[in-house]
Amino acid sequence: MAKRKKEKKDSNILVILLILILLLLIILPPTFRMLFPREEEDNENVKENPQLTNLTNLSCRKKTTDNYNVTVNNIYQNNDISKVTISYSQVVNNENITQQSDTTNNDVTNNATTDTQIQTTDTTTQTQQTDQTQTQPAITDNVLSEMETLRGIEAITKSETETNHQFIILMKNLEKIPIPNEITFRLQSLTAQKKFYENLGYTCTKVNV
């Protein structure tokens, strides 16, 4: 009897050990995966969930010499450019006409002495402007030519009205085609892109989304 009881007790211990081993085999793998994720899994999560990436928006604005308000938004994901949105809005005003009329009326009512003073002042002003031009060359914009170039690229999305024009460049749409030389200067790294636009007279701000 004692021998049978001992065998039964040993059998129960083996069953308990087997159960514990099976439980460990079930519990440990997912626990280790959670504690020590593989790099590949992390990369897949980033691709499947864009919100996990670091997004930066570089926004540059300028009023051009040919009367357009231009806004350029460059979106960078993990420091790689992914989207560029270029918006042109035509500026319409009559300030130049009003200024010309006021100048004409003033010229008629001024006497000869005042005319001499104005001429002297104008000469001084022109000299100052000439000096400034020599040190800071004026930037000549050509928005119409820029828009015509953007219209000619099929991979760019266009949305235009009579006075507003928007062009969207998605890098994923350029993966299967050669990138046209005309837009490579708009697809630079964040630091180079900011410097490029500021050299053209744009005011730029950088925001981490």
Side-chain angles (χ1 to χ4, degrees):
M1 291 291 295
K3 186 177 180 180
R4 289 182 179 177
K5 287 181 180 180
K6 185 178 180 181
E7 289 178 354
K8 187 176 182 180
K9 186 178 180 180
D10 292 341
S11 178
N12 290 336
I13 293 173
L14 287 174
V15 170
I16 292 171
L17 287 173
L18 286 173
I19 292 173
L20 289 174
I21 291 171
L22 290 173
L23 286 174
L24 289 174
L25 290 175
I26 294 171
I27 295 172
L28 287 178
T31 303
F32 277 107
R33 277 196 223 103
M34 186 172 59
L35 294 175
F36 307 103
R38 293 182 301 178
E39 291 184 2
E40 294 180 359
E41 291 178 351
D42 289 343
N43 293 334
E44 290 178 0
N45 288 333
V46 169
K47 292 180 180 179
E48 294 174 0
N49 302 289
Q51 66 272 17
L52 298 178
T53 62
N54 294 321
L55 296 179
T56 303
N57 178 30
L58 176 66
S59 180
C60 300
R61 301 172 183 273
K62 175 186 179 181
K63 182 177 180 180
T64 66
T65 56
D66 44 3
N67 285 329
Y68 278 88
N69 285 325
V70 184
T71 302
V72 184
N73 287 315
N74 287 33
I75 302 296
Y76 293 83
Q77 289 186 354
N78 295 327
N79 296 322
D80 293 326
I81 191 166
S82 64
K83 180 180 179 180
V84 180
T85 302
I86 310 167
S87 301
Y88 300 92
S89 178
Q90 190 172 6
V91 179
V92 180
N93 62 57
N94 296 320
E95 291 180 1
N96 292 334
I97 297 176
T98 304
Q99 290 175 358
Q100 289 175 0
S101 299
D102 292 342
T103 302
T104 302
N105 293 332
N106 289 335
D107 289 342
V108 172
T109 57
N110 285 340
N111 55 35
T113 303
T114 304
D115 287 341
T116 303
Q117 292 175 348
I118 291 175
Q119 290 175 359
T120 304
T121 303
D122 288 345
T123 303
T124 303
T125 302
Q126 290 175 359
T127 303
Q128 292 175 349
Q129 290 177 346
T130 302
D131 293 340
Q132 291 176 355
T133 303
Q134 291 175 351
T135 57
Q136 297 179 354
I139 297 172
T140 302
D141 301 294
N142 193 343
V143 168
L144 295 179
S145 177
E146 288 181 21
M147 290 193 294
E148 193 63 31
T149 299
L150 293 169
R151 289 190 192 104
I153 302 172
E154 294 184 1
I156 294 178
T157 302
K158 300 96 177 173
S159 177
E160 298 186 79
T161 63
E162 186 175 351
T163 57
N164 294 285
H165 313 265
Q166 186 180 78
F167 303 87
I168 299 175
I169 305 170
L170 294 176
M171 291 304 297
K172 65 180 182 180
N173 292 342
L174 301 179
E175 290 178 353
K176 297 181 180 179
I177 65 171
I179 298 178
N181 293 330
E182 295 88 342
I183 63 170
T184 52
F185 61 87
R186 298 187 186 275
L187 308 175
Q188 303 181 72
S189 65
L190 181 59
T191 302
Q193 194 69 74
K194 184 173 182 291
K195 184 177 180 181
F196 169 81
Y197 280 120
E198 287 177 341
N199 286 340
L200 291 178
Y202 285 76
T203 300
C204 296
T205 55
K206 183 177 68 172
V207 178
N208 294 323
V209 182

